[in-house]
Amino acid sequence: MTTLPALDALFSQRHSCRAFRPDPVPRAVIEDILRCAQKVPSWCNAQPWQVTLFSGEATNALRSALMEAVMKDPVAPDLPFPERYSDEYKTRRQACGWALYEAVGVERGDSAASHQQMMRNFTLFDAPHCAILTSPKELGPYGALDCGGFVTGFTLAATAAGVATIAQAAVATYAPMLHQFCDIPEDRNILCALSFGYGDPDHPANQFRTERAELGDFTSWRD
């Protein structure tokens, strides 16, 4: 019996949750998700990922620290952000953004409302938990690549456990504050946040889904 259809269904079920209920996820469930996620492949089995995991009042303290950093600190990610999005990458990015804005009622040209929605990143979309993901600087792009696999593993394992997630690069733009607040050594790159909890299925921000490219758009066959 093949399990590929079940895995495909799990991929289809996963989405970036942008509104969470306050209910905490039991510690045992979080540990199961982490144990599952760490089974992803990595270069030479280095397993470079480390997570600093926040729950309860610690999550609220992180939220407050992020909001304070947004108001006073310059943007300073450990890894350079993309220079630009062009062609189909720009089209897909814009389609995702406008689908979100349409879902939550932000009209085109309403800069105040779009800024307010963007700021939701730094309240972690009210998630009760957040994991800050890091990789050793000495491993460079390959360490970050391995951690991308961990993000996929974490989000899929969480989905299988009935837990909603969102990977957030925006949080990593305030890396200096996160290094200090989370006591993360400077020899590690802060890559992203993984906010998670039980999603609010009735919230407008969770009412849309992104599309995927056709197979021929990203595959070149050599027979």
Side-chain angles (χ1 to χ4, degrees):
M1 186 179 79
T2 179
T3 58
L4 183 57
L7 179 60
D8 183 68
L10 192 63
F11 268 101
S12 298
Q13 183 182 349
R14 186 217 62 81
H15 70 283
S16 293
C17 181
R18 293 178 174 86
F20 293 87
R21 304 200 318 254
D23 318 60
V25 179
R27 174 71 172 265
V29 174
I30 298 174
E31 291 179 352
D32 286 344
I33 292 169
L34 291 168
R35 290 191 185 98
C36 187
Q38 71 173 345
K39 293 180 174 67
V40 298
S42 61
W43 190 275
C44 300
N45 196 35
Q47 304 176 56
W49 44 81
Q50 289 284 326
V51 294
T52 303
L53 207 147
F54 292 83
S55 299
E57 286 306 313
T59 310
N60 290 330
L62 175 61
R63 260 190 277 274
S64 297
L66 280 168
M67 291 299 292
E68 183 178 349
V70 171
M71 298 303 174
K72 68 180 182 64
D73 294 346
V75 170
D78 281 344
L79 294 183
F81 270 41
E83 294 179 5
R84 61 186 174 276
Y85 288 85
S86 58
D87 303 324
E88 65 268 33
Y89 313 116
K90 180 179 179 180
T91 299
R92 293 167 189 163
R93 186 171 187 259
Q94 289 177 334
C96 177
W98 286 120
L100 170 60
Y101 286 169
E102 182 178 357
V104 298
V106 175
E107 297 182 358
R108 292 179 185 244
D110 189 342
S111 57
S114 61
H115 177 75
Q116 184 178 10
Q117 178 61 39
M118 182 275 294
M119 290 296 290
R120 293 275 294 150
N121 278 282
F122 304 107
T123 65
L124 310 176
F125 299 104
D126 300 325
H129 307 279
C130 182
I132 303 298
L133 179 64
T134 70
S135 174
K137 288 184 183 294
E138 66 181 12
L139 296 187
Y142 284 100
L145 178 66
D146 288 341
C147 287
F150 182 85
V151 170
T152 299
F154 185 94
T155 57
L156 287 179
T159 300
V163 174
T165 62
I166 182 168
Q168 297 181 257
V171 172
T173 57
Y174 293 96
M177 181 281 290
L178 290 171
H179 277 285
Q180 182 176 9
F181 185 85
C182 305
D183 196 24
I184 295 171
E186 293 295 332
D187 63 356
R188 298 192 68 85
N189 284 323
I190 293 173
L191 303 180
C192 69
L194 287 160
S195 295
F196 64 99
Y198 297 112
D200 179 355
D202 298 323
H203 194 284
N206 290 330
Q207 299 304 308
F208 79 98
R209 297 292 183 269
T210 54
E211 298 180 353
R212 292 297 182 266
E214 296 295 331
L215 193 63
D217 292 336
F218 67 91
T219 305
S220 297
W221 299 92
R222 300 291 187 268
D223 295 326

